Amino acid sequence: MKILLYNPDNGVTRNFMPHLWMFLLQALTPTGHEVLLVDGNAQPMDEVGIAQFVRDNNIGLVGIGAMTRMVAKAYRMADAVRTTGVPVVMGGPHVTEMADEALGRDGGPRHADAVALGEADATWPRIVEDAARGQLKEVYAPVDAFGQESKPSLKEYPVIPWQSIDLKQFNLVPKAATGLLQKIGEGWGTFRIVPVESGRGCPYGCEFCTVTGFFGDSIRFRTNESVVNELLLLKARARTEKGQIAVFFIDDNFAINIKRTKSLLRDIIAAKAQVHWVAQISANLLRDEELVDLIAASGGKWIFIGMESIDPANLKDMNKGFNKPGEYATVLERLAARNVYAITSFIFGMDNDTVGAAERTLEQVRTWPPGLPIFGLLTPLPATPLYKRLEKAGRLTRPKHWQEFIPFAMAHTPLKMTIEEAHAEVKHGWEQAYSPEALAHAVESLSDRPLGYRVNIFLSRLCFRGIYFPMMGKMAWIRVIAQNRRTIFKLVREGFKKGAWRGAPARILSSPVPQVETGEAIVQGAEG
Ligand code: B12
Ligand code: SF4
């Protein structure tokens, strides 16, 4: 049987990275079936397109996964597939919580023939075999022989065959430039950001987050060996195609167990498996100097920190009191000293936010080393404690906000400002932090570093903005490039100067890379 795994885009913005679930399910598919992958972010497709694709390729089963904000598109695409007579199975965080909606058991239209609840590592092979026999069930739940919910341990993690997966659609280098760029240094003919997980689960239960409910509060890790081998495979692939691969460790908090993270990073260094990587780590864990040394030495370049707010009252409300705004600056400087920078994520529209929250946040951001600040609105995702609290209080203005995805629009009324005021805060945050002046300033603040760091911060800012703002079209890109032409010319001019690409090296490790520690694992914090 031929299977299509499809991940929708949200129709407005574009993710730079493919989704892990597609590669994982492909690797877990029983032999004898062929799996094709289409990510709508990389290969845009509409309803007519997917139905045609299914017919042309003689597909026998379509699997669709979606976050809440992509689910309306996912349902439309599922409907289009079902008109061809091919069954659709849906999975992922949204349909796990809203299975009746997907199956049309809530009074609405039916979109899926079957849903996979929760983590589908164990249920996927059963789904495929049932579909091949024409005996697809409606609901697949991950349960053990006694009917109890069971979660994969991750100790037996499948090998994702990175050496042979077709990754054409995920190349971020424009086709026209590939030939030329292959010849630069070790080669830049392709550039891909690839998701890798080293563990799952987060015990923190922040009020707005789905992770604790979905993955559970028991944290599970892959073996160091399996992660290192995966990095080695990716590195080898990049070398053979004269390109670059960077890894996004998608764990909700990559350093949730510091001892284990240090041991993994040491193993990566020892095996020479370093690639450039990004990971989510909470600020409290970055107090550990040795951890930060190992991050830099193992290839860590960007750390995503869910700061959420600079107001401790908001953090307390969200059950995220372990974030201490007073230490944000020190943490970011500690990273920057090793040429590691941060993606700092903020949420507006929290109950203690008042008008001016964005500007107050920006005042702090401007005093920090340059990074990638991102701004969002507090969103009640289905089944989260936040959703339940707001629903009970009658504060939801669009209880089924996912049925119509509107970027940057609240679905409830904050306590100390209006919805429109909250929208204005987010707009202000993005406009100011990504204005041509702010970009020029970020580049300038790294004038003592090699040119590569300045180019990196500039390109990262442009691309990262694209995940949240409509930049899918050529015109949108041209506009952004025109607005930032001064900085671009300056960087290009400098590129031709002698020695421009050399300069201050990354900070030397404060101590030699220490040996792997043993002992009790301590869970210390989480991110998301
Ligand atoms: C990496 C990541 C991103 C990446 C992009 C996604 C990507 N390309 O991977 C970035 C950083 C860009 C991102 C952005 C956002 N993200 Co995000 N992200 C994640 C993260 C950390 C990891 C996803 C992952 O790969 N998990 C590991 C895989 C194995 O798990 P999985 O995807 O759930 O898949 C398993 C099952 O769900 C199931 N499954 C999934 N799909 C399917 C399909 C089928 C057919 C079947 C059978 C099974 C199945 O099987 C898989 C194996 O068990 C998750 C949190 C998490 N730990 O999952 C949040 C998460 C997915 N993100 C979330 C959110 C809210 C966002 C943002 C909206 C945040 C914001 N406010 O800006 C944006 C949206 C961006 C956009 N373009 O619209 C929420 C989604 C919740 C929801 N109900 O929708 C999550 C769960 C985190 C949270 N805080 O609650 N994100
Ligand atoms: S720490 Fe991050 S992943 Fe964990 S519950 Fe909070 S937001 Fe979610």
Side-chain angles (χ1 to χ4, degrees):
M1 179 172 63
K2 266 182 154 181
I3 302 165
L4 167 66
L5 296 181
Y6 170 75
N7 196 96
D9 57 297
N10 63 33
V12 181
T13 57
R14 147 166 206 188
N15 274 346
F16 53 82
M17 177 177 78
H19 288 258
L20 179 60
W21 71 265
M22 305 173 92
F23 301 116
L24 196 54
L25 296 194
Q26 186 180 34
L28 290 166
T29 302
T31 49
H33 304 281
E34 188 188 346
V35 183
L36 307 181
L37 310 181
V38 173
D39 185 335
N41 289 287
Q43 211 177 312
M45 221 177 236
D46 61 10
E47 289 87 326
V48 177
I50 198 166
Q52 196 60 43
F53 186 94
V54 165
R55 281 195 210 97
D56 291 350
N57 289 283
N58 196 20
I59 302 287
L61 174 69
V62 176
I64 301 182
M67 293 187 204
T68 294
R69 57 165 40 196
M70 284 85 168
V71 85
K73 169 97 187 249
Y75 288 154
R76 289 199 300 277
M77 298 298 264
D79 296 346
V81 171
R82 292 180 81 234
T83 59
T84 67
V86 172
V88 172
V89 52
M90 294 188 74
H94 185 85
V95 299
T96 294
E97 306 302 348
M98 305 296 296
D100 285 351
E101 178 183 84
L103 291 169
R105 290 170 171 177
D106 66 345
R110 180 174 188 155
H111 307 287
D113 295 277
V115 292
L117 304 181
E119 294 172 62
D121 309 52
T123 46
W124 177 245
R126 280 206 329 258
I127 295 172
V128 172
E129 299 298 18
D130 286 357
R133 284 198 310 270
Q135 291 174 4
L136 204 52
K137 295 179 190 62
E138 283 198 334
V139 178
Y140 289 85
V143 287
D144 61 20
F146 307 100
Q148 298 295 312
E149 190 189 6
S150 83
K151 299 210 172 284
S153 81
L154 303 192
K155 290 287 173 228
E156 303 289 327
Y157 198 80
V159 176
I160 301 183
W162 291 115
Q163 70 284 3
S164 56
I165 294 181
D166 179 359
L167 291 173
K168 250 188 249 114
Q169 63 182 315
F170 304 116
N171 185 11
L172 298 175
V173 174
K175 257 196 223 117
T178 298
L180 181 69
L181 293 178
Q182 265 177 340
K183 296 185 188 116
I184 295 184
E186 292 164 350
W188 279 87
T190 53
F191 176 57
R192 300 189 176 96
I193 302 177
V194 169
V196 171
E197 63 182 336
S198 86
R200 287 185 198 163
C202 173
Y204 280 84
C206 298
E207 200 193 24
F208 55 82
C209 179
T210 65
V211 168
T212 307
F214 186 88
F215 288 103
D217 54 10
S218 77
I219 298 144
R220 293 150 285 146
F221 297 115
R222 291 170 66 182
T223 62
N224 287 0
E225 193 191 1
S226 116
V227 178
V228 168
N229 286 342
E230 188 164 352
L231 298 184
L232 289 171
L233 264 188
L234 287 164
K235 249 186 125 162
R237 166 135 193 186
R239 243 192 333 264
T240 44
E241 59 188 22
K242 292 199 186 331
Q244 304 288 324
I245 282 184
V247 160
F248 192 137
F249 284 112
I250 53 89
D251 307 35
D252 288 299
N253 190 342
F254 185 57
I256 196 161
N257 174 333
I258 279 201
K259 282 190 177 171
R260 176 261 169 193
T261 307
K262 286 184 183 173
S263 103
L264 173 62
L265 298 181
R266 284 191 200 106
D267 284 1
I268 290 173
I269 296 165
K272 296 194 172 33
Q274 290 105 320
V275 291
H276 287 177
W277 59 262
V278 187
Q280 310 185 94
I281 302 180
S282 53
N284 54 329
L285 298 179
L286 295 164
R287 289 174 195 142
D288 189 312
E289 296 269 350
E290 189 187 46
L291 174 71
V292 182
D293 279 341
L294 286 164
I295 288 174
S298 62
K301 291 287 163 213
W302 289 97
I303 305 297
F304 186 111
I305 306 179
M307 292 182 167
E308 326 301 8
S309 177
I310 55 164
D311 175 356
N314 274 332
L315 291 165
K316 199 159 164 270
D317 278 354
M318 291 295 123
N319 201 25
K320 200 156 184 169
F322 60 86
N323 265 8
K324 305 288 177 215
E327 69 176 352
Y328 290 166
T330 318
V331 161
L332 298 176
E333 275 150 21
R334 189 172 296 134
L335 289 170
R338 278 102 170 156
N339 286 325
V340 180
Y341 297 94
I343 302 161
T344 50
S345 168
F346 298 98
I347 300 175
F348 297 130
M350 291 189 177
D351 279 352
N352 204 43
D353 273 344
T354 52
V355 170
E359 190 48 41
R360 288 191 290 279
T361 306
L362 286 164
E363 274 164 20
Q364 305 240 332
V365 170
R366 289 183 196 114
T367 67
W368 297 339
L372 301 177
I374 59 177
F375 309 95
L377 284 162
L378 188 61
T379 307
L381 293 168
T384 54
L386 173 69
Y387 192 97
K388 291 173 193 158
R389 174 166 70 85
L390 295 173
E391 188 179 39
K392 203 164 154 210
R395 288 175 59 195
L396 294 174
T397 50
R398 293 188 296 133
K400 296 218 167 169
H401 53 90
W402 51 89
Q403 291 183 345
E404 189 198 1
F405 169 61
I406 312 175
F408 298 111
M410 289 202 72
H412 74 279
T413 317
L415 282 185
K416 297 188 178 171
M417 56 175 146
T418 64
I419 287 182
E420 289 68 31
E421 283 167 344
H423 293 174
E425 292 300 324
V426 171
K427 193 161 173 273
H428 183 78
W430 281 103
E431 272 174 8
Q432 297 300 312
Y434 288 79
S435 67
E437 296 74 33
L439 260 68
H441 179 74
V443 169
E444 195 56 36
S445 69
L446 292 178
S447 54
D448 61 332
R449 311 279 163 118
L451 182 61
Y453 289 100
R454 274 168 282 152
V455 172
N456 183 356
I457 193 109
F458 182 70
L459 291 180
S460 306
R461 278 205 174 203
L462 286 193
C463 295
F464 214 74
R465 191 181 178 278
I467 302 172
Y468 301 89
F469 273 82
M471 293 224 325
M472 285 176 110
K474 279 200 185 101
M475 277 319 289
W477 274 104
I478 291 170
R479 207 171 311 121
V480 171
I481 289 168
Q483 284 166 352
N484 290 282
R485 61 189 178 281
R486 278 206 187 86
T487 308
I488 295 172
F489 286 145
K490 205 165 160 215
L491 288 171
V492 171
R493 238 191 352 256
E494 277 186 52
F496 288 105
K497 280 192 198 151
K498 211 171 154 210
W501 297 87
R502 291 193 298 274
R507 186 182 173 283
I508 312 287
L509 285 181
S510 55
S511 54
V513 178
Q515 291 306 301
V516 177
E517 290 167 18
T518 53
E520 270 302 288
I522 309 164
V523 171
Q524 305 193 35
E527 197 52 315

